[in-house]
Amino acid sequence: MGPATQQRHRTRARRPAAKRRSTVDDDGDVLCEACGSGDDADELLLCDGCDRGVHIFCLRPILPRVPAGDWFCPSCAVTTSTSAKSAAASAVQTKMPKQFPLIQTKIVDFFKIQRGPAAAAAFEPSEGKKRKRKALVVSKKKKRKLLPFNPSEDPVRRLTQMASLATALTATGAVFSNDLTYVPGMAPRSANSAALEAGGMQVLPREDVETLSLCKRMMERGEWPPLLVVFDPVEGFTVEADRFIKDLTIITEYVGDVDYLRNREHDDGDSMMTLLSASPPSKSLVVCPDKRSNIARYINGINNHTQEGRKKQNLKCVRYAVDGECRVLLVANRDISKGERLYYDYNGSEHEYPTHHFV
């Protein structure tokens, strides 16, 4: 069973009618306004406002796929801002998003942090004492175990990290969720059965299940992973380590609404993740983080067509069976330095999604 795979679906840009103002070559094919090339036609967008063409990988920030609906270039998006649908479809942000207020009560409410003595202690200064966690000690046995994340000691720093995620979620119109969600009209929880995985799915060992549960409990009381969501003018929202992270540390679970893949074949979302690759295929499931999600949604993929791109990978994305259900984890596959951005391979071993335009 290979690593998890993000599902991506593309639509081909329409050829312009005679009245369009697109730049075209002698054969009438649309050329990209940014690079001047007509290659990669299936990744060429035509603006529904000015009719000009541009490659998804020539935009800044790039788009991960061709939208299924209307799309407006950055210039036209400004003039059509009165239309919420058009503004959302453009999906192009060129300025810094509004920052979520660094106020403890607002952050606690946003993430629904548990209230009480244990939760309050999570935001109290540690007085220079380093807390010890037995789970952080790597076993000397041959079998390598997953490690829980190690929160920053400074409570103000943890609030800053949480506020950065709240900023990204608010800017993208999503609400925070740290679990898979099952919504009426989509796949029911009973459909998430690891026994349906074609070829079988690896079972997460009991010790690692306990570690995953520990990570969840820490987040519920405000002990946050040492991660920052930052806005990059080229990559958009992306995630970087805010302290040293050890190899095999659990970074996060990939969460969102669970739906059947067959219902999402023509979906406009750009971050769907394979949850269950079933036999029969009609029972395959995907995670859709567009409405409910956590920090996993903002961790970017590598360009696995170049050696430089492959060197950037510092996470692995793996599907496990946990108590009979499928779960997707992002885990450090090497030591990660503070300030290093996090990347994983969208494709795993299946190479379904073209990543040659990734930066």
Side-chain angles (χ1 to χ4, degrees):
M1 204 289 300
T5 304
Q6 278 203 325
Q7 299 288 340
R8 308 285 177 150
H9 307 284
R10 302 186 176 278
T11 57
R12 183 176 295 275
R14 304 185 301 273
R15 287 178 64 91
K19 66 178 182 179
R20 291 183 181 272
R21 300 190 300 275
S22 305
T23 303
V24 298
D25 61 15
D26 294 339
D27 296 324
D29 292 326
V30 180
L31 301 180
C32 175
E33 296 291 331
C35 70
S37 170
D39 296 338
D40 300 306
D42 59 343
E43 296 178 334
L44 190 65
L45 287 168
L46 288 181
C47 176
D48 287 281
C50 66
D51 300 324
R52 292 185 170 87
V54 62
H55 287 115
I56 59 175
F57 48 84
C58 288
L59 288 167
R60 292 296 180 267
I62 65 172
L63 285 180
R65 56 161 288 170
V66 174
D70 291 342
W71 176 82
F72 293 86
C73 68
S75 297
C76 291
V78 174
T79 61
T80 58
S81 59
T82 55
S83 169
K85 180 179 179 181
S86 299
S90 68
V92 177
Q93 287 184 286
T94 56
K95 60 181 181 180
M96 290 292 293
K98 182 179 179 180
Q99 299 298 302
F100 194 87
L102 192 61
I103 301 174
Q104 179 176 324
T105 54
K106 290 184 178 295
I107 294 173
V108 167
D109 289 341
F110 185 91
F111 291 104
K112 297 180 173 59
I113 301 299
Q114 293 177 348
R115 297 181 181 274
F123 296 102
E124 293 295 330
S126 60
E127 299 181 355
K129 297 180 180 180
K130 293 186 177 181
R131 291 167 294 174
K132 296 182 179 180
R133 301 183 189 277
K134 293 182 180 180
L136 294 177
V137 179
V138 180
S139 173
K140 295 183 179 179
K141 297 180 180 179
K142 291 183 178 180
K143 184 177 179 180
R144 304 179 73 194
K145 298 179 181 179
L146 298 183
L147 304 175
F149 59 78
N150 191 11
S152 299
E153 286 84 5
D154 183 0
V156 176
R157 196 60 192 170
R158 289 201 298 274
L159 286 173
T160 301
Q161 295 158 359
M162 297 167 73
S164 73
L165 175 55
T167 295
L169 289 168
T170 302
T172 53
V175 297
F176 175 74
S177 174
N178 209 31
D179 297 290
L180 295 175
T181 46
Y182 299 90
V183 180
M186 298 186 189
R189 184 164 185 169
S190 59
N192 184 3
S193 173
L196 297 176
E197 175 73 16
M201 180 176 290
Q202 59 186 314
V203 177
L204 190 65
R206 181 180 58 82
E207 296 91 341
D208 293 339
V209 172
E210 293 174 355
T211 300
L212 177 60
S213 297
L214 172 62
C215 292
K216 297 275 189 176
R217 292 196 302 273
M218 285 195 294
M219 293 187 68
E220 288 172 355
R221 59 178 181 255
E223 296 182 78
W224 217 248
L227 305 172
L228 277 176
V229 183
V230 298
F231 184 78
D232 184 281
V234 175
E235 297 185 33
F237 286 112
T238 187
V239 179
E240 62 183 36
D242 201 34
R243 71 177 301 175
F244 173 79
I245 297 176
K246 192 173 180 58
D247 183 20
L248 290 179
T249 295
I250 295 177
I251 301 300
T252 185
E253 179 179 358
Y254 205 100
V255 302
D257 294 338
V258 178
D259 201 1
Y260 290 107
L261 174 60
R262 65 175 185 265
N263 295 340
R264 300 283 179 156
E265 289 289 349
H266 304 290
D267 194 280
D268 198 27
D270 63 0
S271 299
M272 285 187 295
M273 173 71 71
T274 298
L275 179 64
L276 171 65
S277 183
S279 178
S282 62
K283 295 185 178 182
S284 293
L285 301 176
V286 290
V287 181
C288 308
D290 53 324
K291 295 181 179 179
R292 282 165 282 274
S293 56
N294 61 10
I295 202 166
R297 178 183 178 182
Y298 306 105
I299 299 177
N300 287 335
I302 62 167
N303 181 340
N304 57 17
H305 291 264
T306 67
Q307 184 177 5
E308 181 180 357
R310 291 190 293 271
K311 284 182 178 179
K312 292 165 66 174
Q313 181 177 357
N314 47 25
L315 304 181
K316 59 182 178 180
C317 184
V318 190
R319 290 181 292 141
Y320 290 103
V322 180
D323 296 328
E325 295 183 339
C326 307
R327 307 275 286 274
V328 183
L329 302 184
L330 295 182
V331 179
N333 65 356
R334 61 172 173 80
D335 290 347
I336 303 173
S337 302
K338 179 180 178 180
E340 188 176 345
R341 290 190 176 177
L342 305 187
Y343 294 94
Y344 67 102
D345 191 345
Y346 280 161
N347 290 296
S349 59
E350 296 166 340
H351 303 291
E352 177 186 86
Y353 179 61
T355 62
H356 58 277
H357 60 273
F358 281 20
V359 293

